[in-house]
Amino acid sequence: MDVLGIDIGGTGTKGAPVDVKAGKLVQERLRLLTPQPAKPAPVADVVAQIVEHFKWSGPVGITFPGVVVDGVVRTAANMHQAWIGVDAAELFGGARVVNDADAAGLAEMTFGEGRDRKGVVLMLTLGTGIGSALFLDGALVPNTEFGHLELRGKDAEQRASERAREEKGLNWEKWSQRLEEYLKHVEMLLSPSLIIIGGGISKKSAKFLPYIHIDTPVIPAALLNDAGIIGAATVARTR
Ligand code: BGC
């Protein structure tokens, strides 16, 4: 069965039809810029363009970079604040809408490195922000927000996200020290058996994982940048 997965991000919004049994894109994905300011109506317009591009009439799953409870947006750290309180499921014409890191994590647990992993597994996506998805024996605890833990008096994602690395011009070693400090904190709080690093940075893991020394195994995600799209589609299927 194919489902259209759409991944809304602070910078880009990407979509593609996904074979949800195989966990694979079945057509080349389309990426459009997320309009700025990223308010609900213009973003809904971009989503509609993606649906239109694929001439899609089947089920649609969508990710949003904030807390989403029963389709309603609760937080929007890296999007316009006008999103807070918006029923995104309704705005997107009845699509299933979930947090972006939760979607990426679900895809990774179903088709990637998390497959058949028992115990507490934490997926962290490092991009514009830091997203988290927490699993116990493969079951998701939705809407965890471990990117907003406080570190040195600051929001953790402002110190250790990919954006922080770029904006502050940190070299890999310097940034890795921040990441390691963050991961140690998370490790202390959750004692996971595995941490999976996803998001845009996961394909550059060879540049920073060698600097990370914590007790918990830390590995890069297998699905890389398509995890959000695949996860969005997977969630819509299991509706
Ligand atoms: C948001 C999370 C989101 C993450 C990655 C954070 O700022 O609060 O909900 O998953 O960014 O986009």
Side-chain angles (χ1 to χ4, degrees), residues 65-67 75 77-78 99-101 125 129-132 145 148 157:
V67 171
T75 70
N78 297 303
N99 172 263
D100 57 354
T125 63
I130 295 181
S132 60
E145 286 287 328
H148 297 297
E157 73 176 21

Side-chain angles (χ1 to χ4, degrees), residues 52-206:
E52 174 70 17
H53 171 85
F54 291 106
K55 303 195 174 19
W56 200 258
S57 56
V60 181
I62 300 180
T63 74
F64 183 83
V67 171
V68 183
V69 180
D70 295 332
V72 178
V73 174
R74 299 285 182 210
T75 70
N78 297 303
M79 298 288 280
H80 197 278
Q81 298 304 295
W83 276 99
I84 295 172
V86 167
D87 187 334
E90 191 186 286
L91 178 73
F92 299 138
R96 182 82 192 272
V97 185
V98 291
N99 172 263
D100 57 354
D102 283 355
L106 279 166
E108 196 62 34
M109 294 303 284
T110 316
F111 305 108
E113 289 293 348
R115 214 170 172 167
D116 301 325
R117 294 273 190 167
K118 298 279 176 231
V120 176
V121 175
L122 180 69
M123 164 106 164
L124 293 169
T125 63
L126 309 178
T128 310
I130 295 181
S132 60
L134 183 67
F135 296 87
L136 174 60
D137 294 339
L140 172 72
V141 180
N143 286 311
T144 58
E145 286 287 328
F146 296 119
H148 297 297
L149 290 171
E150 195 178 304
L151 258 182
R152 296 181 184 256
K154 276 201 159 181
D155 208 24
E157 73 176 21
Q158 278 169 26
R159 284 187 54 81
S161 65
E162 162 74 338
R163 176 159 74 182
R165 186 184 69 82
E166 284 171 2
E167 282 184 351
K168 302 197 172 82
L170 301 171
N171 64 29
W172 287 103
E173 190 174 357
K174 273 261 163 312
W175 177 74
S176 300
Q177 286 167 5
R178 290 178 171 214
L179 180 62
E180 186 186 77
E181 183 183 43
Y182 170 64
L183 293 177
K184 278 190 173 152
H185 192 57
V186 170
E187 178 183 52
M188 179 275 289
L189 290 169
L190 298 172
S191 302
S193 52
L194 177 70
I195 297 178
I196 304 175
I197 304 289
I201 201 130
S202 43
K203 51 182 177 290
K204 297 179 195 151
S205 61

